[in-house]
Amino acid sequence: METEVDALEELLNIETEIEDVQDQIKFLLERQEKLHERQSELKFLLEAYKASGTGNSANENASRSSSLEDWSGSFEWDSQADDVRLNIFGIPSYRQNQKEIINAIMSGRDVLVIMAAGGGKSLCYQLPAILRDGVALVISPLLSLIQDQVMGLTALGIPAYMLTSTTSKENEKFIYMALEKGEGELKILYVTPEKISKSKRFMSKLEKCHNAGRLSLISIDEAHCCSQWGHDFRPDYKSLSILKTQFSNVPVVALTATATQKVQYDVMEMLRIPKCVKFVSTVNRPNLFYTVRSKSSIGKVVVDEIAEFIQESYPNSESGIVYCFSRKECEQVAAELRARGIAADYYHADMDVNAREKVHMRWSKNKLQVIVGTVCVISVIILLLVEIYIHITFDTQYLLVVRFVIHHSLSKSMETYYQESGRAGRDGLPSECVLFYRPADVPRQSSMVFYENSGLQNLYDIVRYCQSKRQCHRNAFFRHFAEPLQDCNGMCNNCAFFSEVREVDVSHAVPQMILLGTEEPSSYSSSSMHYLVIEI
Ligand SMILES: Nc1ncnc2c1ncn2[C@@H]1O[C@H](COP(=O)(O)OP(=O)(O)OP(=O)(O)O)[C@@H](O)[C@H]1O
């Protein structure tokens, strides 16, 4: 006769076997994903071979892409470029890859730039836009980003305009005349991708500009938005493929801070630039200290800890961002930080334009120390506010730099976290990125990303990042972006406080755990779990 002990034993065996099966399924799913990834890379490579007509060109291009030698030499525009860099942009020297990228664009090549947040991507297309004859078209996903860029360029005396829903009739007329007839001074024109996909009038003027030989280059910012495998796919970016088809002799520059191999191939395919020169800079941001802190289940305690961190580490009102999961949470956290004496306000898409403008102004005048935003797409708007030039006199600039980025809730992927946290320390000086993590936040995010391509897988990557007490946080980025590991130099909490992590043998608590796991859900109580944790 089967006893209760036999039944319990069999149940345990079955559960162990189920776990084994689940592990195998997980392994096979991961293998399938990797095979799909390689399949799309190989398909792309074969198309590149076909397009070039020779068996070796794709290889040549690939090696050329990774070689900076070709682009770092002397070119006829060197002295003019140095003059513009120094006297217009006020930048004393190039950062890594900038000169090479500029040379490739000036030589008329299509270019894909993967450069860390704050690495200086804008200069790479803005400088050639000034040097080359005609108008440079820049496609950027967000109005506020465009406004900031145009404001900054205008302040430098560069004729930059935007054609968006907020453009005045007068400016629109000026832009169309400049495109069609070459009248007026227009060097850089910013539009959103919707302009390309939806405005026939604009496309017809652009065609006239191109036919007259006045379209100097096409720059596509946040190019990862082209890829369905990226963390921020935007359907309107798909229509950008028309640009290379229609203006085949105009160099296309695609720029992004984050793109895995798969996303890079996708972007090149989507924008029809298979032979582009690829410049991939390291994702490493050596000046950022990454920390993951465990998050209390009591909301008030979390805000207490955030406030304490800000007041202790940044007593001189250095600027920072706090990211929350929802708009409501943003408003609550901002109010609670204010109640604790921190100049904080929230900023999200539900606010009207005037309210947003007001926050923008207070931020730029340094009257706000902290902006509280959401970790979804809207957060990008916040991100754009984080670095603002204040023109004191015509030739003096202050730069508001974000010194800390705090995540009250986890991001939806490693890419998103890299970008959001990357807003800190864009001047290269030491800055901090702190993520408050608790497992209970995962289901909130998973319900949001469930229907995205690889959404859950992306989420689990960042969950692994948060849960690891031993793995270097910086290395997690290198692994994610398939980059060789570099030294962290103790610039993450796992490396800095490695010796403080204790391994505890909890095997004595296993029988209790099993009993707890086999309890009827109705009899299961959090107090029994709490008791168990204390026991351990
Ligand atoms: N060679 C340089 N030397 C010093 N400062 C530079 C250089 N190039 C760019 N910068 C400055 O670095 C800051 C960041 O540049 P930029 O906005 O182009 O970064 P980005 O790569 O577009 O970042 P993100 O992806 O976050 O938007 C700006 O203040 C810019 O003026």
Side-chain angles (χ1 to χ4, degrees):
M1 256 236 344
E2 204 172 48
T3 63
E4 194 185 338
V5 174
D6 292 337
L8 188 61
E9 196 178 328
E10 189 182 349
L11 180 68
L12 286 178
N13 286 339
I14 287 177
E15 280 168 354
T16 312
E17 206 174 326
I18 289 174
E19 267 175 35
D20 273 355
V21 171
Q22 279 170 342
D23 280 350
Q24 286 175 40
I25 292 173
K26 188 168 162 263
F27 171 79
L28 288 172
L29 282 173
E30 279 173 7
R31 179 79 191 128
Q32 186 189 34
E33 173 73 9
K34 287 210 172 84
L35 288 171
H36 277 311
E37 210 167 295
R38 186 66 187 143
Q39 183 190 36
S40 70
E41 281 174 17
L42 289 171
K43 274 186 182 168
F44 178 82
L45 207 64
L46 286 170
E47 268 179 34
Y49 281 137
K50 236 191 270 169
S52 65
T54 80
N56 292 324
S57 291
N59 263 342
E60 278 163 18
N61 279 327
S63 61
R64 188 164 193 187
S65 302
S66 52
S67 154
L68 302 183
E69 294 306 309
D70 300 345
W71 304 107
S72 58
S74 300
F75 288 85
E76 64 206 67
W77 48 80
D78 280 353
S79 66
Q80 221 188 333
D82 287 345
D83 182 44
V84 171
R85 170 178 50 73
L86 191 64
N87 297 317
I88 295 185
F89 288 98
I91 287 178
S93 59
Y94 290 113
R95 286 189 185 149
Q96 193 201 15
N97 281 358
Q98 282 180 324
K99 185 177 184 334
E100 290 78 5
I101 295 166
I102 288 166
N103 286 337
I105 299 171
M106 289 300 293
S107 305
R109 295 289 302 268
D110 298 325
V111 174
L112 173 63
V113 178
I114 322 276
M115 192 185 274
K121 288 184 280 300
S122 315
L123 185 78
C124 298
Y125 67 84
Q126 287 170 351
L127 198 149
I130 294 170
L131 291 188
R132 285 174 74 94
D133 287 337
V135 180
L137 176 72
V138 183
I139 292 117
S140 184
L142 283 164
L143 204 59
S144 38
L145 172 61
I146 292 178
Q147 281 166 342
D148 276 357
Q149 290 277 4
V150 171
M151 205 167 75
L153 289 168
T154 309
L156 296 174
I158 298 163
Y161 287 81
M162 59 185 180
L163 190 58
T164 66
S165 53
T166 62
T167 306
S168 66
K169 282 274 161 245
E170 196 187 335
N171 271 1
E172 188 179 292
K173 200 169 153 204
F174 167 82
I175 291 163
Y176 281 145
M177 288 299 276
L179 289 178
E180 197 171 357
K181 305 215 160 80
E183 288 173 10
E185 242 202 311
L186 171 62
K187 281 309 282 179
I188 308 184
L189 177 63
Y190 282 84
V191 296
T192 56
E194 292 76 30
K195 207 43 136 199
I196 309 291
S197 60
K198 302 203 171 86
S199 173
K200 287 201 175 106
R201 184 171 176 220
F202 174 69
M203 285 308 285
S204 128
K205 304 278 178 195
L206 200 61
E207 201 165 339
K208 285 182 180 147
C209 175
H210 173 250
N211 291 345
R214 287 195 307 269
L215 186 58
S216 63
L217 66 93
I218 297 169
S219 172
I220 297 164
D221 212 0
E222 311 291 348
H224 59 272
C225 298
C226 292
S227 169
Q228 296 207 37
W229 301 108
H231 58 95
D232 197 10
F233 169 63
R234 291 174 187 232
D236 277 308
Y237 263 72
K238 265 185 146 177
S239 62
L240 302 185
S241 59
I242 195 172
L243 294 169
K244 197 68 204 175
T245 316
Q246 219 162 325
F247 313 122
S248 58
N249 61 337
V250 178
V252 166
V253 190
L255 308 110
T256 176
T258 45
T260 55
Q261 280 279 345
K262 193 160 145 183
V263 173
Q264 290 172 30
Y265 285 118
D266 220 15
V267 168
M268 286 156 72
E269 194 174 6
M270 198 73 81
L271 296 178
R272 312 236 159 109
I273 50 168
K275 294 193 211 168
C276 67
V277 189
K278 209 163 83 176
F279 293 93
V280 183
S281 310
T282 175
V283 293
N284 195 12
R285 300 282 309 278
N287 60 318
L288 299 187
F289 191 102
Y290 295 101
T291 300
V292 177
R293 285 175 67 161
S294 73
K295 178 175 172 181
S296 164
S297 55
I298 305 161
K300 187 182 152 312
V301 174
V302 183
V303 183
D304 278 342
E305 288 182 6
I306 292 177
E308 194 179 286
F309 168 79
I310 295 172
Q311 281 161 339
E312 279 184 6
S313 310
Y314 300 97
N316 299 320
S317 284
E318 291 92 336
S319 304
I321 300 175
V322 175
Y323 285 105
C324 295
F325 181 74
S326 67
R327 293 166 195 177
K328 195 166 156 231
E329 211 167 59
C330 279
E331 295 178 14
Q332 272 169 359
V333 170
E336 288 180 35
L337 286 176
R338 273 200 305 276
R340 287 161 178 79
I342 293 169
D345 213 338
Y346 61 89
Y347 187 105
H348 59 62
D350 271 355
M351 297 159 70
D352 69 39
V353 178
N354 288 341
R356 273 195 255 167
E357 182 77 3
K358 234 164 135 186
V359 177
H360 198 154
M361 284 311 287
R362 288 170 61 216
W363 171 267
S364 61
K365 287 184 178 152
N366 220 357
K367 295 209 164 122
L368 273 184
Q369 183 182 13
V370 174
I371 286 192
V372 186
T374 45
V375 289
C376 61
V377 177
I378 301 310
S379 66
V380 183
I381 297 170
I382 302 283
L383 303 180
L384 307 171
L385 296 177
V386 298
E387 191 183 87
I388 295 163
Y389 292 99
I390 308 170
H391 293 266
I392 307 292
T393 64
F394 193 71
D395 55 3
T396 319
Q397 303 177 339
Y398 278 152
L399 190 59
L400 262 185
V401 182
V402 172
R403 274 288 152 254
F404 58 91
V405 171
I406 298 172
H407 277 73
H408 179 274
S409 291
L410 87 163
S411 308
K412 64 175 187 168
S413 67
M414 288 294 280
E415 274 101 329
T416 316
Y417 183 61
Y418 176 76
Q419 271 203 332
E420 290 166 349
S421 59
R423 296 292 148 177
R426 281 153 58 97
D427 57 354
L429 294 177
S431 305
E432 285 179 271
C433 311
V434 184
L435 194 159
F436 282 80
Y437 172 73
R438 62 169 180 195
D441 283 348
V442 179
R444 292 208 293 177
Q445 275 290 10
S446 60
S447 60
M448 302 288 288
V449 301
F450 189 76
Y451 292 104
E452 288 179 18
N453 252 337
S454 313
L456 281 181
Q457 202 186 328
N458 291 339
L459 178 62
Y460 294 152
D461 283 347
I462 180 90
V463 170
R464 263 192 294 279
Y465 171 92
C466 295
Q467 285 186 332
S468 169
K469 296 267 182 281
R470 290 211 170 262
Q471 200 194 60
C472 166
H473 290 315
R474 187 165 261 94
N475 279 357
F477 286 119
F478 296 138
R479 284 206 181 85
H480 185 80
F481 293 108
E483 200 180 304
L485 301 187
Q486 294 177 44
D487 213 334
C488 177
N489 293 320
M491 287 292 280
C492 81
N493 66 323
N494 280 358
C495 290
F497 308 112
F498 189 76
S499 56
E500 289 176 22
V501 176
R502 277 191 313 130
E503 270 183 25
V504 180
D505 180 0
V506 295
S507 52
H508 65 278
V510 169
Q512 276 172 285
M513 281 184 189
I514 292 169
L515 270 179
L516 205 63
T518 53
E519 262 182 34
E520 274 289 305
S522 53
S523 63
Y524 178 90
S525 72
S526 59
S527 58
S528 38
M529 181 54 91
H530 188 66
Y531 170 76
L532 183 62
V533 170
I534 291 170
E535 273 279 284
I536 291 170

